[in-house]
Structure formats: structure tokens, C-alpha cells
């Protein structure tokens, strides 16, 4: 899970460059438009469906699908961790043979990609299994210690249908491992993105602002201030970016002049958009105003990134345009509707942890939102103090 948190942030939208010192013929306007349009569509799919699945994930009781909650402390440290990881990869590529590093990383992402793709396609594949399909339940449980000191390390529940999905995903994994084909790369990249949006949950809007603000600075510095991010993105042969060939119309599936978009430019705004969808649902107004606003803001921000990149012919830090749009548009809507206090008081973790008080009743309670938030914070503090003495409350 830790590597899945850091790996997606190593790329930005950029056009592919010449390979092996050869000069490529310029891409046609149609090819460029197809490539950028496809990248935009591929970025939107995991955000939209990942946000919807994050709602079901927050309500689910399956231990294997429990989300990972990002706190404000995690958000503040993340740009530092991402910077160290990025610089470390850059130094590795400068010191050691790129071939051996990519071989090791390929095996690592081969396993991760199969698991992510299997988890992604499982809900869709379940619709195709006949009612008579012999489905058996399994549980993979690893513990350490014994007696009262026993502690769970891994507790994963799955069934026969999941094993079928795992087998199908393994075919894509072998294809990627042997050919490094851009379609296999994108299948894994889309799976990583959707899983990230679904399973990584911000606990509140303030945490989201901290995370996006920190990565805003991170992205701008490493793209404009140095050549580190672009170098790593081009050297790193792993599905940490979505790619689409600009010369597809000329060369077909064997095209090799790629435009690319880093998964971090999808997952980071995506988990913030998913948070706003859960906030919409918590208001119980049967509207998804903030979700659609932030989704439209993402389209605007990424479209602006592509436009600026095409005009200046230089790699762009997509978060430079995405962060102000994805935060600014929903906040302006909240100001217009008078729901700023509710937005910044909402706690997403209340829907995930049964022992946490729910902060989802702002439209139906009496009293001001500020006084409600104060009282809930006191209850939350009391719940945290009681938690170690009362594990049965889980």
C-alpha cells in the first residue's frame, strides 16, 4: 500500500520525444488531437467510477476492501516522501544500469498490476457468471504472536469468482511483462488509478487542501525547477503513467511516439473529488452538486494543461492547473450556497470507522453548524480515548 501511495506521483502530461537519438516525423494535428483526447477520457474514467466505488467501499464491511484513510499529518508528509522517492529513483537511474532497475520494477509492478486489475474487473465480471457457477469462499489470514498477543497482518477474503478474475488479469500481466505494450500499460495504469481513488480516502476537506497544496508545490518544482521528474518518467518502464501514441493513425498499434499523463495527476485530484461525492451524499439532498462541480473543474484543469503544453511545447506540471480548479470551484459553490462550514466540518472517516461519530446530519439538526462541529469534536476526542479499552466496539 505504501508503494502504491508514492508511485503514482512520478509523471506529468507531456509529449513523447525522440527515442535512441533518431528524429521522428512531426505528428499530424489529427494524431495529436486523438492522443490528448484519449488521455483526457482515460483520466476521467477511473475518477468517475472510482468515486462511485469509494462510496460503497466506505459503507462496506469486508475487511479486504477497507479503505486507507489519509490524515492531515499524512498529507503534510506526503510531498516530502514523494520528493525523496523521486530523487532516489533519479539517482538510481544515473548510477546503476537502467536495464536491471526496470527489470526489477517490472516484476514488482507485474504482481501489483495483476492484483489491482483483478480487483477492478471483479464487480463487472460477477454479472457474467451464471447462477449455477460453483462459488466457494476463501480467507487468507496471516497473524503474528499467540493468545492475547495475536495480531492480524493480512486478512483477505475472496471467492472462486475472484480467482477467475485473477487468472484473466494474469494474462494481461504476462503480456505487459513480455511486450511492454502501451495497451497493457494503460490497463494496469487505469486499474491502479481506480483502486487509488476507491481505496484512498481523505478524512476531511482540510486534509485534501493540505495534500493538494503540498503536491502543487512538489509538481511545479520538480517539473520547472529541474529535469528530474521528466527524466524519471521517460526512464521508468512501469505502469505509473497513461500513454497514448500520437502517430497511431500512421503506425497503428505499433506506434511509439507517445503523449503521457502521470497517474498522480489522476489519483490525487480523484480522491479529493471522491471525498466531495461522499460529502454530497452526507447532505442528504439527493444532489451531487459538489461532485459534478469538481469533476467539471478537473476537465477544465486538465484541458488547460494540455492546451498550455501544446502551445509551449514543454512538459507541464498538471497539478499546477488542476489543484486551483479542483479546490477553487467547489469552494466557490459552497460560498454561494452558504455551506462552507458544513464542507470543512465534514469527516469522511465517520462513514468508515463504526466507532467514530458520524458528521452527516448538518441539514437536519438544530443549532448552528459551528456548535455542532464543536460538540462532535468533543465526542470524537472521547471516542479516541475510550478506543484502546474497548476493542469490542469495533
Amino acid at each position: 500500500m505504501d508503494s502504491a501511495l508514492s508511485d503514482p506521483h512520478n509523471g506529468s502530461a507531456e509529449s513523447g520525444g525522440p527515442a535512441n537519438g533518431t528524429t521522428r516525423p512531426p505528428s499530424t494535428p489529427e494524431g495529436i488531437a486523438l492522443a490528448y483526447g484519449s488521455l483526457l477520457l482515460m483520466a476521467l474514467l477511473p475518477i468517475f467510477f472510482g468515486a462511485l466505488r469509494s462510496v460503497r467501499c466506505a459503507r462496506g464491511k469486508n475487511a479486504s476492501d477497507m479503505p486507507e484513510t489519509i490524515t492531515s499529518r499524512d498529507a503534510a508528509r506526503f510531498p516530502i516522501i514523494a520528493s525523496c522517492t523521486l530523487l532516489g529513483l533519479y539517482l538510481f537511474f544515473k548510477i546503476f544500469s537502467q536495464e536491471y532497475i526496470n527489470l526489477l520494477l517490472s516484476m514488482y509492478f507485474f504482481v501489483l498490476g495483476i492484483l489491482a486489475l483483478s480487483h477492478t474487473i471483479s464487480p463487472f465480471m460477477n454479472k457474467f457468471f451464471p447462477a449455477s457457477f460453483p462459488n466457494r469462499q476463501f480467507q487468507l489470514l496471516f497473524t503474528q504472536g499467540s493468545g492475547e498477543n495475536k495480531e492480524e497482518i493480512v486478512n483477505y477474503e475472496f471467492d472462486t469468482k475472484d480467482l477467475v478474475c485473477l487468472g484473466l488479469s494474469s494474462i494481461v500481466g504476462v503480456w505487459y511483462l513480455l511486450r511492454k505494450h502501451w495497451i497493457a500499460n494503460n490497463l494496469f495504469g487505469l486499474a491502479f488509478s481506480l483502486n487509488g481513488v476507491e481505496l484512498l480516502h481523505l478524512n476531511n476537506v482540510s486534509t485534501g487542501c493540505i495534500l493538494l497544496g503540498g503536491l502543487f508545490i512538489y509538481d511545479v518544482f520538480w517539473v520547472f525547477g529541474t529535469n528530474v521528474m521528466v527524466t524519471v518518467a521517460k526512464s521508468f518502464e512501469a505502469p505509473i503513467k497513461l500513454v497514448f501514441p500520437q502517430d497511431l493513425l500512421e503506425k497503428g498499434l505499433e506506434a511509439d511516439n507517445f503523449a503521457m499523463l502521470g497517474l498522480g495527476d489522476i489519483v490525487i485530484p480523484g480522491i479529493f473529488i471522491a471525498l466531495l461525492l461522499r460529502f454530497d451524499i452526507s447532505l442528504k439532498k439527493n444532489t451531487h452538486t459538489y461532485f459534478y462541480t469538481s469533476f467539471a473543474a478537473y476537465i477544465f484543469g486538465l484541458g488547460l494543461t494540455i492546451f498550455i503544453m501544446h502551445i509551449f511545447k514543454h512538459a507541464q506540471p498538471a497539478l499546477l492547473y488542476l489543484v486551483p480548479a479542483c479546490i477553487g470551484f467547489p469552494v466557490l459553490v459552497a460560498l454561494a450556497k452558504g455551506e462552507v462550514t458544513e464542507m470543512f466540518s465534514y469527516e469522511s472517516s465517520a462513514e468508515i470507522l463504526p466507532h467514530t461519530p458520524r458528521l452527516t446530519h448538518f441539514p437536519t439538526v438544530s443549532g448552528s453548524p459551528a456548535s455542532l462541529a464543536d460538540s462532535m469534536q468533543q465526542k470524537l476526542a472521547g471516542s479516541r480515548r475510550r478506543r484502546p479499552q474497548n476493542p469490542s466496539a469495533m
Side-chain angles (χ1 to χ4, degrees):
M1 182 62 70
D2 291 338
S3 62
L5 280 170
S6 58
D7 287 333
H9 308 291
N10 297 332
S12 294
E14 62 172 330
S15 55
N20 301 325
T22 61
T23 302
R24 291 195 180 105
S27 301
T28 63
E30 295 81 4
I32 295 175
L34 178 62
Y36 290 157
S38 299
L39 285 178
L40 178 60
L41 177 61
M42 286 192 292
L44 296 178
L45 290 176
I47 292 178
F48 186 85
F49 290 105
L52 295 179
R53 288 174 59 156
S54 77
V55 176
R56 293 193 292 269
C57 179
R59 294 172 175 173
K61 297 181 180 180
N62 190 347
S64 61
D65 291 332
M66 288 298 289
E68 189 81 13
T69 303
I70 301 175
T71 65
S72 57
R73 184 179 180 182
D74 298 328
R77 293 186 300 181
F78 195 77
I80 301 174
I81 297 173
S83 295
C84 294
T85 303
L86 181 65
L87 185 59
L89 286 171
Y90 177 79
L91 294 176
F92 264 92
F93 281 118
K94 289 294 184 182
I95 297 173
F96 301 102
S97 171
Q98 179 176 325
E99 178 183 356
Y100 294 114
I101 297 175
N102 280 320
L103 178 62
L104 180 63
L105 292 173
S106 294
M107 296 302 300
Y108 176 70
F109 281 98
F110 167 75
V111 176
L112 283 184
I114 289 175
L115 295 176
L117 186 58
S118 175
H119 181 267
T120 299
I121 67 175
S122 180
F124 303 102
M125 291 298 299
N126 287 339
K127 300 177 182 179
F128 297 97
F129 287 103
S132 59
F133 183 82
N135 193 35
R136 301 181 61 182
Q137 301 293 324
F138 303 94
Q139 182 179 22
L140 183 64
L141 179 63
F142 288 100
T143 62
Q144 66 178 7
S146 60
E148 296 181 355
N149 297 324
K150 182 179 292 186
E151 180 182 356
E152 288 186 1
I153 301 176
V154 176
N155 185 0
Y156 189 77
E157 299 174 3
F158 58 98
D159 54 28
T160 308
K161 296 179 180 178
D162 293 325
L163 293 178
V164 173
C165 295
L166 193 66
L168 294 175
S169 301
S170 299
I171 297 175
V172 178
V174 173
W175 182 25
Y176 171 78
L177 195 62
L178 296 179
R179 295 291 304 276
K180 293 293 191 301
H181 198 276
W182 61 272
I183 294 180
N185 173 91
N186 287 347
L187 289 175
F188 276 172
L190 290 170
F192 284 138
S193 300
L194 190 144
N195 278 272
V197 176
E198 176 187 359
L199 299 175
L200 297 177
H201 287 198
L202 296 164
N203 63 349
N204 54 51
V205 173
S206 297
T207 299
C209 293
I210 294 172
L211 179 65
L212 267 67
L215 289 175
F216 172 90
I217 299 173
Y218 156 87
D219 213 19
V220 171
F221 173 77
W222 289 112
V223 173
F224 284 153
T226 70
N227 68 337
V228 171
M229 182 176 288
V230 175
T231 301
V232 171
K234 290 183 177 180
S235 305
F236 205 76
E237 293 183 4
I240 60 165
K241 53 185 178 288
L242 299 179
V243 299
F244 199 91
Q246 301 180 24
D247 53 349
L248 179 67
L249 299 177
E250 291 80 20
K251 297 185 178 180
L253 296 180
E254 299 304 319
D256 57 359
N257 183 18
F258 295 106
M260 65 181 72
L261 178 69
L263 299 191
D265 300 327
I266 302 172
V267 176
I268 296 303
I271 60 177
F272 187 75
I273 294 171
L275 171 69
L276 293 179
L277 174 60
R278 298 193 296 274
F279 171 62
D280 272 323
I281 294 174
S282 75
L283 293 177
K284 298 180 180 179
K285 293 183 178 181
N286 294 323
T287 61
H288 296 157
T289 304
Y290 294 100
F291 171 67
Y292 290 128
T293 300
S294 56
F295 194 73
Y298 182 86
I299 297 175
F300 170 78
L302 189 55
L304 182 60
T305 305
I306 293 172
F307 175 76
I308 297 295
M309 179 184 62
H310 182 66
I311 294 299
F312 291 97
K313 309 297 182 184
H314 187 276
Q316 296 293 313
L319 294 181
L320 172 64
Y321 310 96
L322 291 172
V323 169
C326 290
I327 294 178
F329 283 32
V331 170
L332 289 176
V333 172
L335 283 171
K337 299 181 67 175
E339 294 176 341
V340 175
T341 303
E342 289 92 331
M343 174 184 283
F344 282 89
S345 300
Y346 169 70
E347 285 282 342
S348 178
S349 58
E351 299 175 357
I352 303 169
L353 304 177
H355 56 260
T356 307
R358 295 179 64 87
L359 298 179
T360 59
H361 308 292
F362 294 110
T364 59
V365 297
S366 60
S368 67
S371 62
L372 175 64
D374 291 340
S375 64
M376 294 306 287
Q377 288 293 337
Q378 295 173 2
K379 292 180 181 179
L380 177 60
S383 174
R384 286 174 174 168
R385 288 194 295 269
R386 291 193 300 270
R387 195 185 309 166
Q389 286 77 29
N390 188 20
S392 62
M394 295 292 291

